[in-house]
Amino acid sequence: MSELSNQNVARLRRILDEPDLAGTRYQPIRELARGGMGVVWEAEDNELGRRVALKILPLGETQSAPSSASAFDSPADLLRREARVLASLEHPGIVPVHDVGTLPDGRVFYAMKLVQGRSLDQAVSGMSRSDRLRLFQRLCEPVAFAHSRGVIHRDLKPENIMVGEFGEVLVMDWGVAKLAGSAHETGVIGTPHYMAPEQAAGQNESVTERSDVYGLGGILQFLLVDQAVPAQLAAIRAKALAADPQLRYGSASEMAADVGSFLEGKPVTAYAENPLEIAMRWTARHQTLVLLLLAYLV
């Protein structure tokens, strides 16, 4: 028997991986992404005539949890839970869910808006610091909204942020989100370098909105890498990344407000200025007035 060529092997793999959407309103087009929580496909919604994204459990992940198990025991239940979380968060910065169902092979899927855009690391390439900070402010908005609805993301990182074609900022991948009043969990949940110390220690009962603030601090650090950072901005970053949750910002909105104050040349709550710094900041903010006064004096 002759060996299969690499091209034929790849073709067979694509055939095996393509989801069987028979009996659904969707027609598969192409695979977009693959991860531990599922495979994302671009598909055509035949009922409404639009493109959507389908998140589907990987092959073999069809087993549902028994009724006595917690909501975190089954991949199928996890995916349904993620769909419910997204459905409860109606915000321009959070991808809306259109549908949830089960494929003929038993795998769970849900349909969501197809996001056209780039990942955060691609989107900010060549972008000025001011534009990066304004983008960061927009990122804080859906996070703050989710917190107001009792949802903590727990895995905020650049890979989970998308920037749309028209500059919209979307927070993706809510698969490990924590709901207020949810069942007790054990184990480490999150991503190193963006995971708060309490998460890294497996203290999931201590995870709060301030844990997501730590993740935002990690993203801010990513956005500022290889750039000279003013003291006020460094203080904002340091406060968000404080090891003690009580020393961090109390909310994503508070952090966004401090970033906005920095951009506007106003004092930030995270930094205590000395008189010289106050004078320099005032001069920079009122540069036109200072120049007119100097011209008058001359």
Side-chain angles (χ1 to χ4, degrees):
M1 180 181 292
S2 62
E3 294 184 4
L4 289 172
S5 67
N6 291 337
Q7 185 177 1
N8 285 332
V9 169
R11 180 173 177 272
L12 286 171
R13 182 176 288 116
R14 285 196 301 271
I15 293 172
L16 288 172
D17 285 346
E18 183 170 311
D20 179 7
L21 299 180
T24 73
R25 58 199 275 185
Y26 307 105
Q27 179 180 343
I29 296 175
R30 64 189 176 105
E31 183 179 314
L32 297 175
R34 180 177 292 265
M37 286 291 294
V39 183
V40 179
W41 278 77
E42 181 179 351
E44 179 76 16
D45 183 340
N46 295 321
E47 290 288 335
L48 296 176
R50 64 179 176 182
R51 297 287 175 92
V52 298
L54 299 183
K55 189 167 186 178
I56 307 170
L57 281 181
L59 284 170
E61 302 287 5
T62 60
Q63 183 66 37
S64 295
S67 58
S68 59
S70 77
F72 303 97
D73 288 343
S74 158
D77 285 346
L78 275 171
L79 199 67
R80 289 192 183 94
R81 174 178 171 273
E82 182 179 4
R84 288 194 296 270
V85 167
L86 286 170
S88 71
L89 299 176
E90 296 186 14
H91 187 278
I94 300 174
V95 180
V97 169
H98 304 314
D99 187 19
V100 65
T102 305
L103 300 183
D105 61 14
R107 287 186 289 163
V108 173
F109 75 92
Y110 69 79
M112 57 184 164
K113 176 184 176 181
L114 178 64
V115 177
Q116 304 283 359
R118 297 176 292 169
S119 60
L120 183 66
D121 57 336
Q122 296 173 326
V124 300
S125 178
M127 190 179 289
S128 69
R129 183 177 67 198
S130 295
D131 286 341
R132 290 183 179 213
L133 292 176
R134 292 187 183 93
L135 185 150
F136 179 81
Q137 284 184 288
R138 298 201 302 275
L139 161 61
C140 290
E141 293 172 6
V143 176
F145 176 81
H147 291 169
S148 74
R149 297 296 187 270
V151 178
I152 303 164
H153 190 282
R154 290 199 295 189
D155 198 20
L156 293 172
K157 56 185 178 181
E159 295 88 337
N160 285 341
I161 310 301
M162 291 288 291
V163 180
E165 293 179 301
F166 301 99
E168 63 272 30
V169 181
L170 298 111
V171 180
M172 312 292 288
D173 204 345
W174 295 79
V176 297
K178 177 183 177 181
L179 307 179
S182 61
H184 177 71
E185 305 162 72
T186 58
V188 176
I189 298 173
T191 300
H193 305 301
Y194 298 95
M195 180 172 23
E198 59 271 19
Q199 289 179 257
Q203 300 169 353
N204 293 308
E205 70 282 357
S206 300
V207 171
T208 67
E209 293 87 346
R210 293 174 188 259
S211 305
D212 274 354
V213 166
Y214 188 97
L216 290 172
I219 293 174
L220 181 61
Q221 181 166 274
F222 167 81
L223 292 173
L224 298 175
V225 66
D226 296 331
Q227 294 189 16
V229 180
Q232 296 91 336
L233 196 52
I236 294 173
R237 179 180 59 191
K239 183 172 182 177
L241 292 173
D244 184 350
Q246 296 306 312
L247 297 180
R248 298 175 204 151
Y249 289 98
S251 68
S253 297
E254 288 181 19
M255 186 178 182
D258 245 5
V259 171
S261 293
F262 171 81
L263 285 169
E264 295 172 12
K266 298 177 180 178
V268 301
T269 64
Y271 185 76
E273 296 176 311
N274 60 43
L276 178 60
E277 289 172 322
I278 294 173
M280 291 177 64
R281 177 176 52 77
W282 188 93
T283 300
R285 190 181 177 197
H286 300 88
Q287 195 172 55
T288 301
L289 177 60
V290 170
L291 290 174
L292 286 173
L293 287 172
L294 287 175
Y296 175 78
L297 292 173
V298 170

